[in-house]
């Protein structure tokens, strides 16, 4: 059985893994704060209610609550668009937290070792199959090959969109003050 190779992970990889995980944690806390504000509740209660949801589940819960509260459609669309960016990278988050990594097919790249263990004809799904109505999308193995530059760029994109979402929420009067 292929067990991955710790040798392919450098301190830079691990630092960028941590940075990406922390951006997702910030997004999740922000979504929980927004849910609390929309529900007229305290954030701690929402955190307890949503703690077992992954990023996609928390995103969907927030969007459902925005719809339930009849939030203006233009604001709903804008918030949805900001949260689509990290949703796009949520398979990477899953791979960071649940996969051992191997040297990738490209020079100076790494990839999760699950790619090497699937029999021909069996492909993993990108979308969360536990959510009703979610479309199934084949996950291309080449999507999961990353260089340090790729991880750095993804971290920067997550940061940029997080700050953009915070600025937008401040603009429409929805963001909780940070502690």
């Amino acid at each position: 059985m292929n067990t991955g190779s710790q040798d392919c992970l450098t301190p830079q990889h691990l630092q960028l893994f941590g940075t990406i995980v922390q951006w997702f944690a910030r997004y999740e806390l922000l979504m929980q704060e927004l849910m609390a504000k929309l529900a007229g509740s305290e954030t701690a209660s929402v955190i307890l209610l949503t703690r077992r949801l992954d990023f996609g589940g928390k995103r969907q819960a927030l969007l459902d609550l925005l719809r339930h509260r009849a939030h203006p459609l233009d604001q709903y669309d804008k918030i949805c668009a900001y949260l689509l960016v990290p949703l796009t990278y949520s398979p990477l988050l899953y791979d960071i937290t649940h996969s051992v990594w191997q040297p990738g097919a490209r020079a100076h790249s790494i990839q999760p070792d699950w790619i090497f263990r699937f029999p021909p004809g069996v492909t993993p799904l990108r979308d969360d199959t536990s959510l009703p109505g979610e479309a199934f999308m084949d996950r291309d193995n080449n999507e999961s090959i990353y260089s340090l530059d790729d991880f750095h760029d993804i971290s920067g994109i997550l940061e940029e969109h997080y700050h953009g979402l915070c600025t937008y929420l401040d603009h429409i009067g929805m963001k909780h003050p940070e502690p």
Side-chain angles (χ1 to χ4, degrees):
M1 172 178 263
N2 192 347
T3 59
S5 171
Q6 191 70 8
D7 298 339
C8 70
L9 295 178
T10 66
Q12 293 88 359
H13 286 109
L14 298 176
Q15 180 182 16
L16 289 166
F17 281 3
T19 301
I20 290 167
V21 169
Q22 279 300 294
W23 280 117
F24 272 93
R26 286 179 174 203
Y27 274 105
E28 289 185 18
L29 180 59
L30 179 60
M31 289 187 294
Q32 291 165 319
E33 290 171 344
L34 290 174
M35 285 185 263
K37 186 168 188 165
L38 288 166
S41 178
E42 56 191 32
T43 302
S45 295
V46 172
I47 289 171
L48 284 171
L49 290 171
T50 61
R51 68 182 171 196
R52 288 190 173 83
L53 297 177
D54 65 0
F55 176 85
K58 288 180 180 107
R59 176 185 171 272
Q60 193 59 54
L62 172 61
L63 295 177
D64 289 347
L65 192 54
L66 285 168
R67 289 291 229 187
H68 175 72
R69 294 291 186 188
H71 211 70
L73 195 55
D74 63 324
Q75 292 178 6
Y76 173 91
D77 289 343
K78 190 89 167 178
I79 292 168
C80 187
Y82 273 113
L83 293 175
L84 186 59
V85 172
L87 182 66
T88 302
Y89 293 112
S90 60
L92 172 60
L93 176 66
Y94 185 86
D95 287 341
I96 288 171
T97 58
H98 298 286
S99 296
V100 175
W101 290 74
Q102 293 274 347
R106 296 187 324 235
H108 308 293
S109 68
I110 61 173
Q111 63 193 90
D113 76 340
W114 59 257
I115 291 171
F116 301 108
R117 291 185 280 122
F118 278 96
V122 176
T123 57
L125 298 174
R126 163 178 241 153
D127 294 332
D128 184 354
T129 59
S130 66
L131 296 175
E134 291 292 319
F136 294 101
M137 182 185 296
D138 285 336
R139 187 167 178 195
D140 182 3
N141 293 349
N142 291 327
E143 287 180 3
S144 302
I145 300 172
Y146 302 97
S147 67
L148 279 171
D149 288 339
D150 294 331
F151 289 126
H152 187 268
D153 291 346
I154 291 166
S155 174
I157 291 166
L158 290 170
E159 178 180 10
E160 177 184 336
H161 281 83
Y162 176 84
H163 289 302
L165 176 57
C166 287
T167 299
Y168 178 70
L169 293 172
D170 283 340
H171 175 71
I172 62 172
M174 281 191 63
K175 186 158 183 292
H176 277 291
E178 294 193 24

